Amino acid sequence: MASAEAAPVSPDEALSAFSPTLGRTGVALAVSGGADSLSLLHLWADARASAPQLPRAVVLTVDHGLRAEAAAEADFVAGVATARGLAHRTLTWEGPKPAANLQAEARTARRRLLLAAAADLGLDTLILAHHADDQAETFLSRLARGSGVVGLAAMAKARLDGGVLVLRPFLDWPKARLEATIEAHGETWIEDP
C-alpha cells in the first residue's frame, strides 16, 4: 500500500484545490510536460468532467528555444491536452538569448509569455504546478543567496500579477504524489534536463 506521501491526488482533493477558480472567466494551465504539470492537466480535466461549473481552460506550453527537443515536448503536451479535451497553445520565446543569467531570464520570459497569453485569450487565472518540493527548494536557494526575511517568504498559493490571478494549488503536496497521479493515469512524463 502506498504511503500518503506517494498516494495519487484524489478527485476530491483536486476539486478542492481548484475551488478558487469558481466564478473566474477562464484558466490558463501552464504545462511543460513534467510530472507536476502533467498532473495539473489531468487533474483539471478530471475535475471539470465532474464539476462543469469550473471555468474553461487552455493549456499553455512555453518553448524557450534553448533545446532542440523542446518543440517535440510541446507537441507531446498538445497531444495529451487534445486527448483530454483541452485546447492547447505553444508559446515561443523569440529573439536572442542572454549569455548570462539564462535560467533567471528564461523564468522571466516564461512568466511574461504565460501572462500575456492568458490576457490575449481572455483568461483571468493562471495555474502553476509548483509543489511542496519546489517550495523547499526555493527557500533553500534564497537562503543560500543570503536573502533577508522578506526574501525567504514562501511562494504564495494565490497572488495577482498584472490583473491575472496566479494560483499554485499544489504547494501542500510533494512531487511524489504528483508522479503517482500521472502513473495512475497510465501516462509518462518528460524529465527536464
Side-chain angles (χ1 to χ4, degrees):
M1 179 177 198
S3 74
E5 284 282 311
V9 175
S10 75
D12 287 344
E13 288 176 298
L15 195 53
S16 177
F18 296 139
S19 65
T21 67
L22 292 169
R24 307 294 296 173
T25 60
V27 172
L29 304 173
V31 180
S32 66
D36 46 359
S37 65
L38 271 181
S39 65
L40 171 62
L41 186 158
H42 283 291
L43 289 168
W44 181 269
D46 292 346
R48 189 143 196 280
S50 67
Q53 69 272 26
L54 289 173
R56 72 183 177 96
V58 177
V59 176
L60 302 178
T61 303
V62 176
D63 177 351
H64 293 90
L66 299 173
R67 297 180 298 110
E69 305 85 9
E73 292 167 357
D75 289 344
F76 167 75
V77 173
V80 175
T82 300
R84 294 304 315 262
L86 295 168
H88 178 270
R89 181 173 289 182
T90 298
L91 312 173
T92 305
W93 185 20
E94 302 286 348
K97 307 304 185 268
N101 298 320
L102 185 59
Q103 293 278 342
E105 293 296 326
R107 277 191 300 277
T108 299
R110 180 171 48 249
R111 178 183 153 274
R112 179 181 46 78
L113 288 166
L114 290 169
L115 290 171
D120 289 347
L121 293 165
L123 309 171
D124 61 357
T125 307
L126 170 64
I127 302 182
L128 306 174
H130 293 122
H131 46 76
D133 299 34
D134 291 327
Q135 187 78 289
E137 182 181 318
T138 298
F139 175 82
L140 292 173
S141 173
R142 290 175 179 174
L143 184 65
R145 285 194 318 257
S147 289
V149 174
V150 172
L152 292 176
M155 284 187 276
K157 275 194 170 188
R159 68 179 173 82
L160 279 175
D161 192 340
V164 174
L165 177 64
V166 178
L167 296 176
R168 292 181 177 95
F170 298 172
L171 288 178
D172 293 333
W173 300 330
K175 184 174 185 168
R177 292 203 64 201
L178 302 177
E179 289 175 346
T181 300
I182 291 300
E183 290 169 351
H185 278 86
E187 292 278 352
T188 59
W189 60 86
I190 299 164
E191 292 290 348
D192 185 353

